[in-house]
Amino acid sequence: MSTTPPVLAAELALAWADIQRHHPELPDLAAPESLIGESSSACGAELSFERLLHEAVHGIAAARGIRDTSRAGRYHNRRFLAIAEELGLDHVDEPHPSSGFSLVTLSPEARRRYRPTIERLARALKAHTAATATDTARSFRGPAARHGSSGGGVRVKAVCDCGRNVRVVPSVLAQAPIVCGGCGKPFRIPEVAAVG
């Protein structure tokens, strides 16, 4: 399997098409590669099928002309929640104070429905991560790497216990804790749930 971003983008497009088969009103995904290493602060950091389904909720809301978020897209309201349920996403009973109902998870039924797609996308993501994490002495990373900078790598969402989050390059967070000014606890990158 090739691990180049175009191949991963193709896998993302296939997964999106699978969601469209079950939800025909979902618009086409204009640029699948835009999801690689990019995430809104409220939607989670890790690219996964669950996150793709989350983004599909926003796509259907847009197609229906429904405003599903507020606070610059951070707070996911009950309209988001209603569409999320249609797409097979479960949620907590009470909204988070700053992100609302953004933290949705695959329901057991959705996990069964999309199992082959979830597994295929997980393999592509794992291969892509392994390929992009490889760093040899012969790799050129530019002047920023020689001076101890992150080199502008892919930023992910790091969260603290009070619900605040920041976008950070994982290697920067690994150098030393970044502490939340609101609660005084360190930001951390959430663990990714295994496909099961």
Side-chain angles (χ1 to χ4, degrees):
M1 169 189 291
S2 174
T3 58
T4 61
V7 171
L8 180 55
E11 289 293 340
L12 287 165
L14 288 171
W16 192 265
D18 192 22
I19 299 168
Q20 284 179 310
R21 278 191 284 283
H22 296 280
H23 304 279
E25 69 183 306
L26 178 62
D28 291 338
L29 185 59
E33 60 277 4
S34 68
L35 294 174
I36 301 170
E38 185 267 54
S39 170
S40 75
S41 62
C43 298
E46 296 297 325
L47 184 54
S48 65
F49 185 78
E50 191 170 81
R51 179 163 153 243
L52 199 62
L53 207 55
H54 176 126
E55 296 301 328
V57 172
H58 292 302
I60 288 177
R64 293 178 182 174
I66 295 172
R67 186 170 176 209
D68 64 338
T69 63
S70 59
R71 301 180 196 166
R74 289 185 312 272
Y75 190 87
H76 292 59
N77 60 34
R78 291 193 184 276
R79 291 179 293 273
F80 170 87
L81 186 58
I83 299 170
E85 289 172 346
E86 289 178 40
L87 270 69
L89 291 168
D90 287 335
H91 57 86
V92 294
D93 291 333
E94 295 299 319
H96 186 277
S98 64
S99 62
F101 294 101
S102 71
L103 299 175
V104 289
T105 58
L106 281 170
S107 69
E109 179 184 326
R111 194 173 297 280
R112 281 189 299 276
R113 176 187 310 140
Y114 293 112
R115 184 174 195 82
T117 303
I118 292 167
E119 291 171 351
R120 190 179 66 238
L121 183 59
R123 283 191 304 272
L125 287 165
K126 184 177 180 182
H128 175 72
T129 299
T132 56
T134 302
D135 192 338
T136 67
R138 295 181 52 88
S139 298
F140 178 73
R141 293 180 52 219
R146 291 193 303 272
H147 300 290
S149 164
S150 68
V154 175
R155 287 169 173 71
V156 298
K157 183 173 83 170
V159 297
C160 72
D161 291 339
C162 73
R164 297 181 73 213
N165 59 68
V166 295
R167 305 289 296 166
V168 63
V169 177
S171 62
V172 171
L173 192 59
Q175 291 172 9
I178 297 174
V179 180
C180 174
C183 70
K185 294 186 178 175
F187 285 92
R188 61 182 168 68
I189 298 172
E191 292 183 24
V192 181
V195 176

